[in-house]
Amino acid sequence: MSKVMSIICSLLVSCSLIATSALAAGSGSYHSSSSSAKKLYNQGVVLMKDKEFAKAEKKFRSAIKKNSNTNPEN
């Protein structure tokens, strides 16, 4: 269980950094893709609060993938 929590915490930190860089980028096309990543992240947060850790992890990973596909610099 602690390994899962460690992964989730790492993903939360990564997603927070992604959201911060998305806000700093200011590009219209990047922002719209960022919205998809942010939506996935928010869904992950809800699942995590509901203790659906495996489902939350999938959402967080999808958010990271969505963001990295849009902005390969991150």
Side-chain angles (χ1 to χ4, degrees), residues 6-61:
S6 176
I7 291 170
I8 290 172
C9 287
S10 295
L11 290 170
L12 284 172
V13 169
S14 297
C15 287
S16 296
L17 293 173
I18 290 168
T20 302
S21 61
L23 290 173
S27 167
S29 62
Y30 181 77
H31 178 62
S32 63
S33 296
S34 166
S35 295
S36 297
K38 187 175 180 179
K39 182 177 178 181
L40 288 165
Y41 168 79
N42 289 336
Q43 291 170 349
V45 171
V46 170
L47 288 166
M48 190 177 70
K49 287 181 179 179
D50 291 340
K51 299 184 181 185
E52 296 284 345
F53 299 116
K55 291 178 184 177
E57 180 183 0
K58 288 179 185 178
K59 293 289 184 178
F60 293 138
R61 289 188 186 277

